[in-house]
Amino acid sequence: MQSVSSPQPLAEKELREKARELHLEYVDLSSLKLDKEIGQMIPEAMARRSRMVCIGKLDKKITLAMADPNDIFAIDDVRLRTHLDVIPVLADPDAVEKAIPVVYGDQTSIQEAVKEAMDAADAVEFLKESDEDEKEVIIDTPIIKMVNQIIYKAAEKRVSDIHIEPSEKEILVRYRIDGVLHEIMSAPKNLLPAMVSRIKIMSSLKIDEKRIPQDGRIHMLIKELNRDLDIRVATLPTLFGESVVMRLLDRQSMKVDLNTLGLEEKMLANWKELTAHPYGFILVTGPTGSGKSTTIYATLNILNSPEVKIVTIEDPIEYSLKGINQVQVNPKVGLTFATGLRAFLRQDPDIMMVGEIRDKETATIAIESALTGHLVLSTLHTNTAVGAITRLLDMGIEPFLISATLLGVLAQRLVRVICQNCKSPLENPPEALLNLLKERGFKDYRLFKGKGCQVCAETGFKGRVGICELYIPTPQAKSLISKGSSEDILEKKAFEDGLATLYEDGLKKVAQGITTYEELCRVTSKA
């Protein structure tokens, strides 16, 4: 007896017919067991925006269940992000909408807050004109919830920066994790005024001032995560509205161990010997976000003892250090790096830390303090260790003062560490890389890569470590400095004296299987 199957719903019949016309496969998402690890290979914001969900991965191909498989822009975006080939399949749009919360779990809390804000947007008057100079801002609860969720999720994921960026039709929210930006969500453009106003209220900024950049701070205690955050807020007027960047700083005591920052054994020993001097001038250099402050704080933790008085002047105070007198710069009342340093000299300190050398006045006072028997540590924005000397000379510092006080310069960058959860040996490494390692004398090298997993958000990396170059000028080098020699001459002498560059230190970490060569090239701009 022939069995009779129950008739399919008309909608599914239409979808199957459409799939045949497009020469694609139709997938019934309701009958599939979705794998969250595979699904989260693409960001939730991208999945929601293009109504698609990743349902499979085989070798170098992934399968996307899409409401519109003809969306070639979405397919290209996924291909560029994942570096994998894309196989699109057709799925019921309603089923895709239901599948996304299943795949992304609690990440949907932000999106739910966005939806609430969208529903309430028409009923909320975000900015109400008044007769006074000030304007009254009415922020509805959904907006407050949405901003709180964005910050909470960032704190939960150990994000360093939150970027809220307006475009012509939407708002893009991105998190910087391990130095790389990741798209988290998008929201309708009409929510921007309320979002920015809420953040301005939290950071005590002028709500009605939208023409110039503003800087503020938020102090937030997140009990669920046991995190006491100091959030630096910076607004910037752009073509499509105000952009906001929030930097998350943990106010709890710094517990970074200098031994774990990435300095190789000999360099670490030299750095510790350098910072043990009773007086002199020491610099840590690198671009923004290269870990300079972390290195300084970790060093101060080692130097800190009941017999030593340490004072710091910072902008901002990123971490609270027990037993150390920390001062926050406040230009509005005349407390600058220079005025703070002058006051320090009357506090009888042994060690002084200046958050950043920004001008000639600050540099002069710091160097004069080193001459009068103080150990002074500071940071400077230069690309190389030797370049710090050129930078000081450009500021107008006398060459003989630099040569008399400078103990050493540590230049550094941060490279991402291969995820330990999905770390695997690199198969068929490029011949050029193998030749390079052999030329540099690496014999027992171990090359690895991260396949990508849920732990590392499919990036293949988790955490960062420093690559460094430590320049300790020899007496001959100091003689060249005192003569005001050019950077080329100083670098040539440094290499003769055995200076190992950032790139060379990074190659060691590639050979040790800590990071990848591609990551090293990304950070050092070497190809």
Side-chain angles (χ1 to χ4, degrees):
M1 185 175 177
Q2 193 176 17
S3 61
V4 179
S5 58
S6 57
Q8 294 175 324
L10 181 60
E12 183 174 329
K13 284 184 177 180
E14 291 177 349
L15 287 168
R16 288 186 181 277
E17 182 61 33
K18 182 179 178 181
R20 277 194 293 270
E21 291 174 2
L22 296 172
H23 303 288
L24 296 174
E25 182 184 347
Y26 168 78
V27 172
D28 181 6
L29 287 179
S30 63
S31 65
L32 291 182
K33 185 178 180 181
L34 299 172
D35 187 320
K36 290 185 179 181
E37 185 175 328
I38 290 174
Q40 292 177 16
M41 289 182 67
I42 61 175
E44 181 183 2
M46 183 183 286
R48 287 185 178 277
R49 185 171 60 245
S50 301
R51 294 192 301 167
M52 60 188 178
V53 63
C54 184
I55 60 172
K57 179 179 183 293
L58 182 63
D59 297 329
K60 294 186 177 182
K61 297 179 180 180
I62 58 172
T63 303
L64 288 183
M66 307 179 67
D68 181 11
N70 285 325
D71 189 345
I72 57 173
F73 297 107
I75 293 171
D76 285 343
D77 283 347
V78 173
R79 188 181 292 118
L80 287 170
R81 181 177 289 271
T82 63
H83 304 292
L84 299 170
D85 290 331
V86 174
I87 302 173
V89 297
L90 181 65
D92 185 337
D94 291 336
V96 172
E97 296 284 352
K98 292 176 182 177
I100 288 174
V102 175
V103 168
Y104 295 95
D106 64 356
Q107 294 183 38
T108 59
S109 52
I110 295 179
Q111 204 65 37
E112 288 169 1
V114 173
K115 189 176 185 305
E116 275 190 56
M118 288 168 59
D119 293 341
D122 294 336
V124 178
E125 186 181 3
F126 294 127
L127 201 59
K128 188 174 82 175
E129 301 283 352
S130 63
D131 295 332
E132 295 85 12
D133 292 335
E134 294 295 321
K135 292 181 179 180
E136 180 187 357
V137 177
I138 304 173
I139 306 295
D140 200 55
T141 302
I143 293 293
I144 296 173
K145 181 180 177 182
M146 181 173 70
V147 172
N148 288 348
Q149 279 290 340
I150 290 170
I151 296 173
Y152 177 86
K153 289 299 178 184
E156 189 177 50
K157 295 174 182 292
R158 296 282 169 174
V159 167
S160 61
D161 301 86
I162 303 170
H163 291 245
I164 298 174
E165 302 164 330
S167 62
E168 187 175 5
K169 296 181 180 178
E170 63 180 2
I171 310 163
L172 186 66
V173 178
R174 299 195 288 174
Y175 288 167
R176 188 177 293 280
I177 304 172
D178 292 335
V180 178
L181 283 169
H182 299 268
E183 183 181 328
I184 300 302
M185 59 161 276
S186 59
K189 179 70 177 295
N190 65 332
L191 298 182
L192 181 66
M195 287 179 67
V196 175
S197 294
R198 172 59 184 164
I199 294 168
K200 284 183 176 179
I201 289 172
M202 295 171 72
S203 50
S204 302
L205 297 178
K206 293 182 179 179
I207 299 163
D208 58 330
E209 182 55 80
K210 302 179 181 181
R211 299 164 299 175
I212 60 174
Q214 296 188 69
D215 296 310
R217 286 183 175 83
I218 302 170
H219 179 206
M220 180 177 284
L221 177 63
I222 303 180
K223 294 181 180 178
E224 295 90 340
L225 304 176
N226 191 29
R227 295 195 67 188
D228 190 6
L229 294 178
D230 190 17
I231 304 173
R232 287 193 306 183
V233 178
T235 68
L236 180 71
T238 71
L239 177 63
F240 298 112
E242 288 184 279
S243 172
V244 180
V245 174
M246 294 183 279
R247 170 156 289 188
L248 280 61
L249 305 168
D250 201 323
R251 291 168 62 101
Q252 294 172 342
S253 296
M254 187 75 164
K255 296 181 181 179
V256 172
D257 184 354
L258 192 60
N259 298 299
T260 64
L261 295 184
L263 280 75
E264 58 96 14
E265 191 174 344
K266 183 180 177 182
M267 192 183 297
L268 179 61
N270 288 338
W271 177 252
K272 288 181 177 179
E273 184 180 338
L274 209 62
T275 56
H277 278 71
Y279 58 87
F281 188 40
I282 299 173
L283 284 169
V284 181
T285 74
T288 301
S290 60
K292 300 186 298 295
S293 297
T294 302
T295 299
I296 291 275
Y297 281 125
T299 302
L300 290 178
N301 269 336
I302 289 179
L303 298 175
N304 191 14
S305 71
E307 298 81 26
V308 175
K309 178 160 185 175
I310 303 175
V311 289
T312 75
I313 182 159
E314 308 169 54
D315 185 26
I317 296 174
E318 296 190 14
Y319 300 96
S320 174
L321 300 172
K322 186 178 180 181
I324 294 178
N325 299 276
Q326 295 174 269
V327 177
Q328 170 70 53
V329 166
N330 188 353
K332 292 180 180 178
V333 297
L335 181 53
T336 63
F337 282 116
T339 55
L341 274 173
R342 288 196 188 93
F344 283 0
L345 296 174
R346 296 188 290 274
Q347 293 290 313
D348 187 29
D350 298 293
I351 299 171
M352 300 160 61
M353 191 276 268
V354 188
E356 185 183 343
I357 300 291
R358 294 179 179 172
D359 51 50
K360 180 182 178 181
E361 185 180 14
T362 305
T364 301
I365 299 169
I367 287 176
E368 288 175 351
S369 300
L371 276 174
T372 55
H374 303 89
L375 181 65
V376 181
L377 292 86
S378 189
T379 70
L380 196 63
H381 288 274
T382 62
N383 291 325
T384 63
V386 176
I389 297 167
T390 307
R391 181 78 181 94
L392 291 172
L393 291 171
D394 289 343
M395 284 183 179
I397 306 302
E398 292 293 341
F400 74 90
L401 287 176
I402 300 172
S403 64
T405 58
L406 187 66
L407 296 175
V409 184
L410 181 73
Q412 65 180 65
R413 302 288 189 279
L414 294 175
V415 294
R416 292 180 292 172
V417 175
I418 298 171
C419 175
Q420 295 299 311
N421 189 60
C422 60
K423 189 174 184 178
S424 63
L426 180 62
E427 298 175 3
N428 302 317
E431 192 68 29
L433 175 57
L434 297 178
N435 292 335
L436 176 64
L437 292 171
K438 289 174 183 176
E439 287 172 9
R440 299 300 177 101
F442 295 103
K443 295 179 181 178
D444 300 323
Y445 52 81
R446 296 167 295 165
L447 303 178
F448 291 87
K449 66 173 183 178
K451 290 184 176 180
C453 64
Q454 194 168 1
V455 172
C456 62
E458 301 299 333
T459 63
F461 298 96
K462 183 71 173 176
R464 289 189 291 175
V465 71
I467 56 172
C468 311
E469 63 181 40
L470 178 58
Y471 174 55
I472 303 176
T474 61
Q476 295 82 5
K478 287 193 173 186
S479 177
L480 292 173
I481 294 170
S482 65
K483 295 174 183 176
S485 300
S486 68
E487 187 171 338
D488 289 342
I489 293 174
L490 293 175
E491 273 196 348
K492 183 180 178 182
K493 177 59 180 170
F495 293 146
E496 289 175 359
D497 294 334
L499 175 68
T501 64
L502 290 163
Y503 179 71
E504 289 167 343
D505 187 46
L507 270 181
K508 289 181 182 178
K509 291 176 172 61
V510 172
Q512 293 166 358
I514 296 171
T515 190
T516 66
Y517 185 67
E518 291 76 15
E519 173 67 5
L520 172 63
C521 292
R522 181 186 72 84
V523 171
T524 60
S525 300
K526 293 258 186 172

